[in-house]
Amino acid sequence: MATCGRGCVPAVRFCQRLNRLKTLDDDLMVTSMKRCLTMVDLALLGVGGMVGSGLYVLTGTVAKDTAGPAVVLSFLIAGIASLMAALCYAEFGARVPRTGSAYMFTYVSCGEIWAFLIGWNVVLEYMIGGAAVARAWSGYLDSMFNHTIQNYTENHIMKWNVPYIAHYPDLLAAGILVVATIFITFGVRVSSWLNHIFSAVSLVVILFILVFGFVLADPVNWSQKEGGFAPFGVNGVMAGTATCFYAFVGFDVIAASSEEAKNPQRAIPMATAISLGMAATAYILVSTVLTLMVPWHSLDPNSALSDAFFRRGYSWAGYIVAVGSICAMNTVLLSNLFSLPRIVYAMAEDGLFFSFFAKVNPVTKVPVNAILVFGLLMAVMALIFDLEALVQFLSIGTLLAYTFVAASVIVLRFQPEKEKTSSKVNSTTSPNSNPEPSPEVSESQIIAQDSGELKEYESFSDKLQLVEMQKTRERSAPGVLKARWEPYLGRLLGDFEPGEVVAFSVLAVMVSSVSLCAVFVFGSNQLQLPTWSIALLIVVFGSTFLLCLVIIYAHEPHVNTKTFQVPLVPFIPAASILMNVFLMLKLSPMTWVRFTVWVAAGLLVYFGYGIWHSKEGLRELQPKDMAARYVVLPSGSLVETVQSVQPNGQCDASTLHTTPSRSAEEQQAKR
């Protein structure tokens, strides 16, 4: 800070405020909410969030327009890609069992402003998603009665012609959202049982479709006579995969419910795996049945399953399919209304959003204010906005959240453990003692158990003797270079702090991912680059991407046997980042314009309210008494520190201010 002059100090402090991390409580199981959800409850919440209208609409659309019968492979690949993101959510949900999902995970690993922007965008995604499903629910039910509701509304109530606004107010969609919001306020058990009922009916209907559909299956529909299994080739399969990936969006409701889970360390990973497996199986089998019942090129994209049974002479089966479709859409509505208020509550609880939304009802143990306000806002959106205008904005916030969660998994896996404040208790910090260290403490020897903590020894000679032992222990600490890589990378990377190289490498992974995907998406069409130039850029950015992964892998990871951890880190999270970035760049330019406007509005809220009321910021401003101390850092260097003395007798290590480091010889000469 001294090298850049005093003018840099305010800017540095401002950046530190923006990137401060959330401090977690010692006991993460203590909560004002009610921990009552079992693994079955969480799994059904996940299934309800994923198996919605997409099963009844998306399968026919992708099969007819994009992939043909090879939609089966598209769902399989999309399920594997979704699994990579789901594993990252499962690790965080088990490790940090707090509500907030991607917002909370980003806050504890990347920084405050990034967490706020992720939460801000996910809130909009849930609002749009719930409103869009309500509009689809209303339209599906209205179509069963020959659009009687729409005709009556346009002729007797209201009709308008405004861009991006629906032609008529959808009272049915708004009404179902208001009713669902009221049920959600009754508590998590009521929400869970409603989801159980609708999910059970939906699963029974899916089972009926599979059994009856396989009876009517005709293998000729996959033959060359009808165009073959993959009429659009590999490109069609991959294009279908990009569309089918959105069918699995919804598993994050499990992580958002972790603060209400009985045993989140076990239930969150198991429920995530079970729900994603069930959803992928349902999508793959239903698409198989659908394309075997009738030729793929004759499917009706709007009601593929009902039309398929009708064309085979079983029109009565269409009513059963309609019941299943409505129940499936109900589960998606409940999933959105369940998750959205909890993310708002988490942001308000941290002081980044208005404190009005942080209040939890003492009887139902749910954030009633957040549920009512955002449930009504969702109903207003469903009332006036057109379905297409809503759907166009979907997905970008979710994909951005997936990207940050995957990056956070890598950062935390190679980050040293933070100090436990409870282990740093000594006589100088007792309520009746003076701030200055007493002789008894200077003669004492305190050896911390955690390798990442500061250490005090009874004499200067003891410090010098134990420095080498400390260095040996630190060689296996998280975030440092592995011993077998030291001969190759030791001179280049050995002098950095633990976890520092990994953090920079993760940033390079994200930049190279964006660059690589931009070449694939825009290289030949929008940029009109020559072939040799595209190949060269792919080699450069691809090599950078792989090199960063190798550098991350060369460091010691944090091993935790108590909670679930994503396997093959950093490779699985990096693959998830690459997939998410590719899908984001495939979105329309207008979606990015709307996204930019929404982010700008979020920044106004953050700098106008959040940064001033952040609880992490208020914690930094608390007055503290100070006491000087000589300590040995994990790297083995001797420094003079100033420690804060808390009134309750504990020293807060997170507020240590360290003076410039001195060599051991200078310290000994001073003594």
Side-chain angles (χ1 to χ4, degrees), residues 280-293:
T281 302
Y283 277 111
I284 291 172
L285 292 181
V286 168
S287 59
T288 302
V289 165
L290 179 63
T291 53
L292 284 174
M293 286 176 60

Side-chain angles (χ1 to χ4, degrees), residues 60-140:
T61 302
V62 177
K64 182 174 183 178
D65 300 333
T66 310
V71 65
V72 176
L73 298 180
S74 297
F75 275 115
L76 178 62
I77 299 172
I80 295 173
S82 300
L83 179 63
M84 295 186 293
L87 289 176
C88 298
Y89 273 79
E91 174 172 333
F92 267 112
R95 185 173 179 179
V96 187
R98 289 291 186 182
T99 191
S101 190
Y103 156 77
M104 179 64 65
F105 306 155
T106 307
Y107 203 171
V108 300
S109 57
C110 294
E112 184 172 284
I113 188 171
W114 310 111
F116 178 85
L117 292 177
I118 290 296
W120 181 255
N121 281 285
V122 171
V123 164
L124 181 65
E125 292 287 322
Y126 277 125
M127 290 181 62
I128 293 177
V133 172
R135 296 279 306 195
W137 185 94
S138 172
Y140 197 94

